[in-house]
Amino acid sequence: MRPARDDDALRRVLEDASMGRWEGPRDLLTSTGADWDRRLFRLQVLAEAGARLRFADTWAKAEPRSPHALALLANVQALRAMIAGQSGGRSLMEEAWATCRTALGVWPEDVAPLVVMLALLRTHAPDRATLRHVWAEIKQRDPWNREAHHEVVTYLFQRYHGRPGEAMWWAEEQASIAPRGLPIAVLPLVVIAEAHRSRQERDKKAYGLTIHPWIDCPQIDPVLERWWRYRAPGPHACFADDANYLAHALSFANRHSEAADVFDAIGPYATHLPWAYCGQVEDLFLRHRAWAYNPPRRRHP
């Protein structure tokens, strides 16, 4: 998979970061400014590299009052805490939480530290009162923030802290009230994919791909109606992730002709999820894309 997707500026900065240079990330995040959607995506991709390297730590020491350095460090520390797990990650979680609070003190409007807090609550401190407080802070700043919605719905998965059916109820509610054209509509497909993964894990012998939840799936058409057909001309930062969920659902529902337009928009950017829940990612993606294009459609320039 290509972590930067079609973000050429981010791809170039990742090359700098891989050599321990933090000036590239600084310039990129400064130029991104308050574009929360793009900022969160770039922070998360940089954090994936920063969890293994030290450029984020070095930058935060060099510029301890930079909101961009602090936001990146918080993402890196949170990722390290998640990798360490429940037993070994508690002190790392507390360190990341403190960095988030410092970052908010420097730039109170920033959504990024609050999204990190949601991820930390899911992994290490499942306190619903704090979750509601952080969620309220995000809603004040960026009411339809995609990443925050995905963090909350993941918190509500049964494998984390949700009750049966709670994640789907919340996802469908958010999808129904979100303004048309926003990728919040994809949330129910995320919950369906998670339910499929969970049932496969639980009933390994009795359940497989011959039985799956996408045939006659009532959640697909609302995604087409509320997001796909009214989406913005310029794709949001995690467009490939959301489009892959839709292409996957249409493909497994045997609605291949409808999936063709979605595959066109995805281009080469297959994502690990949800394809990995059903087999080998690249094989499945290429096979279903080929079925979508067969028979070949008449194309117009």
Side-chain angles (χ1 to χ4, degrees), residues 56-286:
D57 308 74
T58 306
W59 178 17
K61 287 179 182 176
E63 297 185 353
R65 297 296 293 170
S66 164
H68 311 301
L70 289 166
L72 179 58
L73 182 62
N75 274 269
V76 167
Q77 290 171 333
L79 190 54
R80 289 171 182 161
M82 292 175 204
I83 292 169
Q86 288 277 357
S87 56
R90 183 70 192 186
S91 62
L92 292 170
M93 176 267 182
E94 292 170 354
E95 186 180 39
W97 193 273
T99 302
C100 289
R101 293 179 65 88
T102 303
L104 287 169
V106 175
W107 190 9
E109 296 79 16
D110 193 5
V111 177
L114 293 164
V115 174
V116 173
M117 286 176 163
L118 290 180
L120 289 168
L121 287 168
R122 165 170 52 88
T123 310
H124 288 285
D127 177 65
R128 291 213 176 194
T130 306
L131 179 79
R132 287 192 292 271
H133 173 73
V134 174
W135 177 246
E137 292 292 318
I138 291 171
K139 293 291 278 185
Q140 289 177 12
R141 291 163 173 80
D142 189 20
W144 299 108
N145 184 277
R146 178 200 179 275
E147 293 306 305
H149 280 76
H150 277 259
E151 285 294 345
V152 172
V153 84
T154 305
Y155 178 101
L156 295 174
F157 287 169
Q158 278 187 259
R159 65 171 153 143
Y160 289 111
H161 315 294
R163 296 180 285 273
E166 189 177 16
M168 180 58 83
W169 177 86
W170 190 84
E172 290 188 329
E173 180 191 49
Q174 295 301 309
S176 69
I177 64 176
R180 185 171 280 178
L182 295 184
I184 304 301
V186 178
L187 285 173
L189 297 184
V190 175
V191 178
I192 289 171
E194 164 62 17
H196 176 71
R197 182 211 63 79
S198 177
R199 189 171 174 187
Q200 275 190 316
E201 189 176 81
R202 188 177 65 249
D203 306 325
K204 291 179 181 175
K205 294 182 179 178
Y207 179 78
L209 285 180
T210 54
I211 307 169
H212 62 73
W214 292 281
I215 294 292
D216 298 324
C217 174
Q219 285 84 7
I220 295 175
D221 284 326
V223 179
L224 292 169
E225 289 296 331
R226 296 201 61 83
W227 172 50
W228 188 254
R229 290 174 185 144
Y230 295 92
R231 67 193 188 279
H236 60 282
C238 285
F239 173 82
D241 299 78
D242 295 322
N244 270 270
Y245 270 97
L246 179 55
H248 175 272
L250 287 168
S251 297
F252 276 84
N254 292 321
R255 297 169 63 171
H256 295 291
S257 61
E258 293 171 89
D261 285 335
V262 186
F263 280 113
D264 276 350
I266 291 170
Y269 303 112
T271 56
H272 184 70
L273 300 180
W275 302 100
Y277 292 159
C278 300
Q280 294 296 318
V281 174
E282 187 174 359
D283 290 348
L284 279 175
F285 180 84
L286 293 176

